[in-house]
Amino acid sequence: GAVVSQHPSWVICKSGTSVKIECRSLDFQATTMFWYRQFPKQSLMLMATSNEGSKATYEQGVEKDKFLINHASLTLSTLTVTSAHPEDSSFYICSAGAAGGRDTQYFGPGTRLTVL
Amino acid sequence: DAKTTQPPSMDCAEGRAANLPCNHSTISGNEYVYWYRQIHSQGPQYIIHGLKNNETNEMASLIITEDRKSSTLILPHATLRDTAVYYCIVPREGTYKYIFGTGTRLKVLA
């Protein structure tokens, strides 16, 4: 149990385009999902908290208009990187927990984004 | 900032126990300690968590000191597949957010 998937696992796009990444909890309902970014040889950095049916909350320094988050159902959250640029190239990882995030979080396998 | 500190790296011989320490001196009474590991280019994998008592599961054991200011993750018989970065996390109280520190890079040697 407690499986979280992400799609796609990798994506390459041209500068200026938008990319959507999906995060799904496969065997449990997740009222809260989290999005992280990880640059090479660095730790995970929390970007935002995604709450089902309400607006996401963003960490300081993360542009909410650039990283659009939608949590439309209890099993799906999406992260859209708008007008992507090479500096947005990174490993994007989501996590999901039941009980409004108070429970153990389970992580997806990650999505590697490369912006040319 | 992360509420935990860990040594940046450790080596362990295959088949031996790996003991990974974590300091969380500012932990408060209701905050849990979680351990995850990340193998290269994958999402973090949940290992174990605890509040006060020592915990054991099929992957590892977690020893928490009586004052709860530090803990140790024990992999009883390390294998080469246990080579990973291990993160000790104390979620932000009230928000349940995970703030990752730098973790410990464990290398299991043949």
Side-chain angles (χ1 to χ4, degrees), chain B residues 4-22:
Chain B
T4 62
T5 55
Q6 300 175 253
S9 64
M10 292 181 65
D11 290 343
C12 176
E14 189 178 19
R16 303 297 292 268
N19 296 281
L20 295 99
C22 178

mmCIF file with all atom_site columns, all heavy atoms in Angstrom, chain B residues 4-22:
data_model
loop_
_atom_site.group_PDB
_atom_site.id
_atom_site.type_symbol
_atom_site.label_atom_id
_atom_site.label_alt_id
_atom_site.label_comp_id
_atom_site.label_asym_id
_atom_site.label_entity_id
_atom_site.label_seq_id
_atom_site.pdbx_PDB_ins_code
_atom_site.Cartn_x
_atom_site.Cartn_y
_atom_site.Cartn_z
_atom_site.occupancy
_atom_site.B_iso_or_equiv
_atom_site.pdbx_formal_charge
_atom_site.auth_seq_id
_atom_site.auth_comp_id
_atom_site.auth_asym_id
_atom_site.auth_atom_id
_atom_site.pdbx_PDB_model_num
ATOM 1   N N   . THR B 1 4  ? 17.003 19.161 12.160 1.00 0.00 ? 4  THR B N   1
ATOM 2   C CA  . THR B 1 4  ? 17.875 18.023 12.449 1.00 0.00 ? 4  THR B CA  1
ATOM 3   C C   . THR B 1 4  ? 19.266 18.254 11.885 1.00 0.00 ? 4  THR B C   1
ATOM 4   O O   . THR B 1 4  ? 19.440 18.981 10.907 1.00 0.00 ? 4  THR B O   1
ATOM 5   C CB  . THR B 1 4  ? 17.296 16.738 11.832 1.00 0.00 ? 4  THR B CB  1
ATOM 6   O OG1 . THR B 1 4  ? 17.229 16.897 10.406 1.00 0.00 ? 4  THR B OG1 1
ATOM 7   C CG2 . THR B 1 4  ? 15.899 16.438 12.361 1.00 0.00 ? 4  THR B CG2 1
ATOM 8   N N   . THR B 1 5  ? 20.248 17.618 12.502 1.00 0.00 ? 5  THR B N   1
ATOM 9   C CA  . THR B 1 5  ? 21.604 17.620 11.970 1.00 0.00 ? 5  THR B CA  1
ATOM 10  C C   . THR B 1 5  ? 22.104 16.186 11.920 1.00 0.00 ? 5  THR B C   1
ATOM 11  O O   . THR B 1 5  ? 21.851 15.392 12.842 1.00 0.00 ? 5  THR B O   1
ATOM 12  C CB  . THR B 1 5  ? 22.557 18.479 12.807 1.00 0.00 ? 5  THR B CB  1
ATOM 13  O OG1 . THR B 1 5  ? 22.510 18.043 14.169 1.00 0.00 ? 5  THR B OG1 1
ATOM 14  C CG2 . THR B 1 5  ? 22.179 19.944 12.731 1.00 0.00 ? 5  THR B CG2 1
ATOM 15  N N   . GLN B 1 6  ? 22.800 15.876 10.827 1.00 0.00 ? 6  GLN B N   1
ATOM 16  C CA  . GLN B 1 6  ? 23.319 14.534 10.613 1.00 0.00 ? 6  GLN B CA  1
ATOM 17  C C   . GLN B 1 6  ? 24.742 14.633 10.068 1.00 0.00 ? 6  GLN B C   1
ATOM 18  O O   . GLN B 1 6  ? 25.085 15.617 9.402  1.00 0.00 ? 6  GLN B O   1
ATOM 19  C CB  . GLN B 1 6  ? 22.463 13.784 9.581  1.00 0.00 ? 6  GLN B CB  1
ATOM 20  C CG  . GLN B 1 6  ? 21.000 13.601 9.963  1.00 0.00 ? 6  GLN B CG  1
ATOM 21  C CD  . GLN B 1 6  ? 20.211 12.968 8.830  1.00 0.00 ? 6  GLN B CD  1
ATOM 22  O OE1 . GLN B 1 6  ? 19.409 13.634 8.160  1.00 0.00 ? 6  GLN B OE1 1
ATOM 23  N NE2 . GLN B 1 6  ? 20.450 11.691 8.609  1.00 0.00 ? 6  GLN B NE2 1
ATOM 24  N N   . PRO B 1 7  ? 25.560 13.610 10.309 1.00 0.00 ? 7  PRO B N   1
ATOM 25  C CA  . PRO B 1 7  ? 26.900 13.622 9.694  1.00 0.00 ? 7  PRO B CA  1
ATOM 26  C C   . PRO B 1 7  ? 26.750 13.515 8.186  1.00 0.00 ? 7  PRO B C   1
ATOM 27  O O   . PRO B 1 7  ? 25.840 12.838 7.692  1.00 0.00 ? 7  PRO B O   1
ATOM 28  C CB  . PRO B 1 7  ? 27.565 12.373 10.281 1.00 0.00 ? 7  PRO B CB  1
ATOM 29  C CG  . PRO B 1 7  ? 26.442 11.510 10.749 1.00 0.00 ? 7  PRO B CG  1
ATOM 30  C CD  . PRO B 1 7  ? 25.341 12.423 11.137 1.00 0.00 ? 7  PRO B CD  1
ATOM 31  N N   . PRO B 1 8  ? 27.607 14.168 7.423  1.00 0.00 ? 8  PRO B N   1
ATOM 32  C CA  . PRO B 1 8  ? 27.427 14.190 5.967  1.00 0.00 ? 8  PRO B CA  1
ATOM 33  C C   . PRO B 1 8  ? 27.626 12.841 5.294  1.00 0.00 ? 8  PRO B C   1
ATOM 34  O O   . PRO B 1 8  ? 26.993 12.562 4.272  1.00 0.00 ? 8  PRO B O   1
ATOM 35  C CB  . PRO B 1 8  ? 28.457 15.206 5.482  1.00 0.00 ? 8  PRO B CB  1
ATOM 36  C CG  . PRO B 1 8  ? 29.430 15.334 6.591  1.00 0.00 ? 8  PRO B CG  1
ATOM 37  C CD  . PRO B 1 8  ? 28.698 15.049 7.851  1.00 0.00 ? 8  PRO B CD  1
ATOM 38  N N   . SER B 1 9  ? 28.500 12.013 5.851  1.00 0.00 ? 9  SER B N   1
ATOM 39  C CA  . SER B 1 9  ? 28.755 10.735 5.192  1.00 0.00 ? 9  SER B CA  1
ATOM 40  C C   . SER B 1 9  ? 29.215 9.683  6.192  1.00 0.00 ? 9  SER B C   1
ATOM 41  O O   . SER B 1 9  ? 29.741 10.011 7.253  1.00 0.00 ? 9  SER B O   1
ATOM 42  C CB  . SER B 1 9  ? 29.803 10.904 4.087  1.00 0.00 ? 9  SER B CB  1
ATOM 43  O OG  . SER B 1 9  ? 31.037 11.283 4.638  1.00 0.00 ? 9  SER B OG  1
ATOM 44  N N   . MET B 1 10 ? 28.992 8.425  5.815  1.00 0.00 ? 10 MET B N   1
ATOM 45  C CA  . MET B 1 10 ? 29.442 7.283  6.606  1.00 0.00 ? 10 MET B CA  1
ATOM 46  C C   . MET B 1 10 ? 29.700 6.115  5.674  1.00 0.00 ? 10 MET B C   1
ATOM 47  O O   . MET B 1 10 ? 29.032 5.991  4.635  1.00 0.00 ? 10 MET B O   1
ATOM 48  C CB  . MET B 1 10 ? 28.374 6.856  7.619  1.00 0.00 ? 10 MET B CB  1
ATOM 49  C CG  . MET B 1 10 ? 28.093 7.812  8.729  1.00 0.00 ? 10 MET B CG  1
ATOM 50  S SD  . MET B 1 10 ? 26.844 7.174  9.862  1.00 0.00 ? 10 MET B SD  1
ATOM 51  C CE  . MET B 1 10 ? 27.686 5.761  10.547 1.00 0.00 ? 10 MET B CE  1
ATOM 52  N N   . ASP B 1 11 ? 30.642 5.264  6.070  1.00 0.00 ? 11 ASP B N   1
ATOM 53  C CA  . ASP B 1 11 ? 30.877 4.014  5.370  1.00 0.00 ? 11 ASP B CA  1
ATOM 54  C C   . ASP B 1 11 ? 30.527 2.853  6.287  1.00 0.00 ? 11 ASP B C   1
ATOM 55  O O   . ASP B 1 11 ? 30.639 2.963  7.514  1.00 0.00 ? 11 ASP B O   1
ATOM 56  C CB  . ASP B 1 11 ? 32.345 3.886  4.950  1.00 0.00 ? 11 ASP B CB  1
ATOM 57  C CG  . ASP B 1 11 ? 32.727 4.840  3.838  1.00 0.00 ? 11 ASP B CG  1
ATOM 58  O OD1 . ASP B 1 11 ? 31.818 5.364  3.167  1.00 0.00 ? 11 ASP B OD1 1
ATOM 59  O OD2 . ASP B 1 11 ? 33.936 5.071  3.656  1.00 0.00 ? 11 ASP B OD2 1
ATOM 60  N N   . CYS B 1 12 ? 30.110 1.750  5.689  1.00 0.00 ? 12 CYS B N   1
ATOM 61  C CA  . CYS B 1 12 ? 29.774 0.570  6.475  1.00 0.00 ? 12 CYS B CA  1
ATOM 62  C C   . CYS B 1 12 ? 30.131 -0.655 5.655  1.00 0.00 ? 12 CYS B C   1
ATOM 63  O O   . CYS B 1 12 ? 29.885 -0.685 4.435  1.00 0.00 ? 12 CYS B O   1
ATOM 64  C CB  . CYS B 1 12 ? 28.278 0.576  6.809  1.00 0.00 ? 12 CYS B CB  1
ATOM 65  S SG  . CYS B 1 12 ? 27.703 -0.890 7.677  1.00 0.00 ? 12 CYS B SG  1
ATOM 66  N N   . ALA B 1 13 ? 30.692 -1.659 6.302  1.00 0.00 ? 13 ALA B N   1
ATOM 67  C CA  . ALA B 1 13 ? 31.016 -2.896 5.596  1.00 0.00 ? 13 ALA B CA  1
ATOM 68  C C   . ALA B 1 13 ? 29.747 -3.718 5.387  1.00 0.00 ? 13 ALA B C   1
ATOM 69  O O   . ALA B 1 13 ? 28.870 -3.782 6.265  1.00 0.00 ? 13 ALA B O   1
ATOM 70  C CB  . ALA B 1 13 ? 32.041 -3.698 6.397  1.00 0.00 ? 13 ALA B CB  1
ATOM 71  N N   . GLU B 1 14 ? 29.686 -4.333 4.237  1.00 0.00 ? 14 GLU B N   1
ATOM 72  C CA  . GLU B 1 14 ? 28.530 -5.178 3.917  1.00 0.00 ? 14 GLU B CA  1
ATOM 73  C C   . GLU B 1 14 ? 28.363 -6.264 4.973  1.00 0.00 ? 14 GLU B C   1
ATOM 74  O O   . GLU B 1 14 ? 29.327 -6.897 5.387  1.00 0.00 ? 14 GLU B O   1
ATOM 75  C CB  . GLU B 1 14 ? 28.729 -5.806 2.538  1.00 0.00 ? 14 GLU B CB  1
ATOM 76  C CG  . GLU B 1 14 ? 27.523 -6.535 2.001  1.00 0.00 ? 14 GLU B CG  1
ATOM 77  C CD  . GLU B 1 14 ? 27.764 -7.104 0.610  1.00 0.00 ? 14 GLU B CD  1
ATOM 78  O OE1 . GLU B 1 14 ? 28.939 -7.254 0.215  1.00 0.00 ? 14 GLU B OE1 1
ATOM 79  O OE2 . GLU B 1 14 ? 26.774 -7.392 -0.085 1.00 0.00 ? 14 GLU B OE2 1
ATOM 80  N N   . GLY B 1 15 ? 27.108 -6.462 5.407  1.00 0.00 ? 15 GLY B N   1
ATOM 81  C CA  . GLY B 1 15 ? 26.832 -7.473 6.420  1.00 0.00 ? 15 GLY B CA  1
ATOM 82  C C   . GLY B 1 15 ? 26.899 -6.975 7.848  1.00 0.00 ? 15 GLY B C   1
ATOM 83  O O   . GLY B 1 15 ? 26.399 -7.632 8.761  1.00 0.00 ? 15 GLY B O   1
ATOM 84  N N   . ARG B 1 16 ? 27.525 -5.813 8.033  1.00 0.00 ? 16 ARG B N   1
ATOM 85  C CA  . ARG B 1 16 ? 27.614 -5.254 9.375  1.00 0.00 ? 16 ARG B CA  1
ATOM 86  C C   . ARG B 1 16 ? 26.429 -4.316 9.615  1.00 0.00 ? 16 ARG B C   1
ATOM 87  O O   . ARG B 1 16 ? 25.721 -3.915 8.695  1.00 0.00 ? 16 ARG B O   1
ATOM 88  C CB  . ARG B 1 16 ? 28.922 -4.472 9.539  1.00 0.00 ? 16 ARG B CB  1
ATOM 89  C CG  . ARG B 1 16 ? 30.176 -5.280 9.256  1.00 0.00 ? 16 ARG B CG  1
ATOM 90  C CD  . ARG B 1 16 ? 30.327 -6.428 10.223 1.00 0.00 ? 16 ARG B CD  1
ATOM 91  N NE  . ARG B 1 16 ? 30.608 -5.980 11.579 1.00 0.00 ? 16 ARG B NE  1
ATOM 92  C CZ  . ARG B 1 16 ? 31.837 -5.828 12.075 1.00 0.00 ? 16 ARG B CZ  1
ATOM 93  N NH1 . ARG B 1 16 ? 32.899 -6.031 11.326 1.00 0.00 ? 16 ARG B NH1 1
ATOM 94  N NH2 . ARG B 1 16 ? 31.999 -5.452 13.332 1.00 0.00 ? 16 ARG B NH2 1
ATOM 95  N N   . ALA B 1 17 ? 26.221 -3.951 10.874 1.00 0.00 ? 17 ALA B N   1
ATOM 96  C CA  . ALA B 1 17 ? 25.154 -3.005 11.206 1.00 0.00 ? 17 ALA B CA  1
ATOM 97  C C   . ALA B 1 17 ? 25.600 -1.589 10.856 1.00 0.00 ? 17 ALA B C   1
ATOM 98  O O   . ALA B 1 17 ? 26.743 -1.200 11.129 1.00 0.00 ? 17 ALA B O   1
ATOM 99  C CB  . ALA B 1 17 ? 24.808 -3.095 12.683 1.00 0.00 ? 17 ALA B CB  1
ATOM 100 N N   . ALA B 1 18 ? 24.684 -0.837 10.284 1.00 0.00 ? 18 ALA B N   1
ATOM 101 C CA  . ALA B 1 18 ? 24.931 0.584  10.019 1.00 0.00 ? 18 ALA B CA  1
ATOM 102 C C   . ALA B 1 18 ? 24.137 1.384  11.043 1.00 0.00 ? 18 ALA B C   1
ATOM 103 O O   . ALA B 1 18 ? 22.922 1.187  11.171 1.00 0.00 ? 18 ALA B O   1
ATOM 104 C CB  . ALA B 1 18 ? 24.501 0.949  8.611  1.00 0.00 ? 18 ALA B CB  1
ATOM 105 N N   . ASN B 1 19 ? 24.849 2.233  11.768 1.00 0.00 ? 19 ASN B N   1
ATOM 106 C CA  . ASN B 1 19 ? 24.204 3.064  12.783 1.00 0.00 ? 19 ASN B CA  1
ATOM 107 C C   . ASN B 1 19 ? 24.291 4.522  12.356 1.00 0.00 ? 19 ASN B C   1
ATOM 108 O O   . ASN B 1 19 ? 25.380 5.096  12.326 1.00 0.00 ? 19 ASN B O   1
ATOM 109 C CB  . ASN B 1 19 ? 24.907 2.886  14.140 1.00 0.00 ? 19 ASN B CB  1
ATOM 110 C CG  . ASN B 1 19 ? 24.781 1.470  14.659 1.00 0.00 ? 19 ASN B CG  1
ATOM 111 O OD1 . ASN B 1 19 ? 23.760 1.075  15.193 1.00 0.00 ? 19 ASN B OD1 1
ATOM 112 N ND2 . ASN B 1 19 ? 25.830 0.695  14.476 1.00 0.00 ? 19 ASN B ND2 1
ATOM 113 N N   . LEU B 1 20 ? 23.155 5.110  12.045 1.00 0.00 ? 20 LEU B N   1
ATOM 114 C CA  . LEU B 1 20 ? 23.133 6.476  11.542 1.00 0.00 ? 20 LEU B CA  1
ATOM 115 C C   . LEU B 1 20 ? 22.536 7.405  12.602 1.00 0.00 ? 20 LEU B C   1
ATOM 116 O O   . LEU B 1 20 ? 21.370 7.276  12.949 1.00 0.00 ? 20 LEU B O   1
ATOM 117 C CB  . LEU B 1 20 ? 22.323 6.569  10.246 1.00 0.00 ? 20 LEU B CB  1
ATOM 118 C CG  . LEU B 1 20 ? 22.921 5.804  9.067  1.00 0.00 ? 20 LEU B CG  1
ATOM 119 C CD1 . LEU B 1 20 ? 22.258 4.461  8.884  1.00 0.00 ? 20 LEU B CD1 1
ATOM 120 C CD2 . LEU B 1 20 ? 22.788 6.626  7.805  1.00 0.00 ? 20 LEU B CD2 1
ATOM 121 N N   . PRO B 1 21 ? 23.332 8.352  13.097 1.00 0.00 ? 21 PRO B N   1
ATOM 122 C CA  . PRO B 1 21 ? 22.837 9.237  14.151 1.00 0.00 ? 21 PRO B CA  1
ATOM 123 C C   . PRO B 1 21 ? 22.135 10.477 13.600 1.00 0.00 ? 21 PRO B C   1
ATOM 124 O O   . PRO B 1 21 ? 22.382 10.905 12.472 1.00 0.00 ? 21 PRO B O   1
ATOM 125 C CB  . PRO B 1 21 ? 24.124 9.639  14.885 1.00 0.00 ? 21 PRO B CB  1
ATOM 126 C CG  . PRO B 1 21 ? 25.151 9.642  13.807 1.00 0.00 ? 21 PRO B CG  1
ATOM 127 C CD  . PRO B 1 21 ? 24.751 8.563  12.818 1.00 0.00 ? 21 PRO B CD  1
ATOM 128 N N   . CYS B 1 22 ? 21.287 11.042 14.443 1.00 0.00 ? 22 CYS B N   1
ATOM 129 C CA  . CYS B 1 22 ? 20.596 12.277 14.091 1.00 0.00 ? 22 CYS B CA  1
ATOM 130 C C   . CYS B 1 22 ? 20.378 13.093 15.363 1.00 0.00 ? 22 CYS B C   1
ATOM 131 O O   . CYS B 1 22 ? 19.948 12.556 16.387 1.00 0.00 ? 22 CYS B O   1
ATOM 132 C CB  . CYS B 1 22 ? 19.261 11.970 13.431 1.00 0.00 ? 22 CYS B CB  1
ATOM 133 S SG  . CYS B 1 22 ? 18.290 13.436 13.002 1.00 0.00 ? 22 CYS B SG  1
#
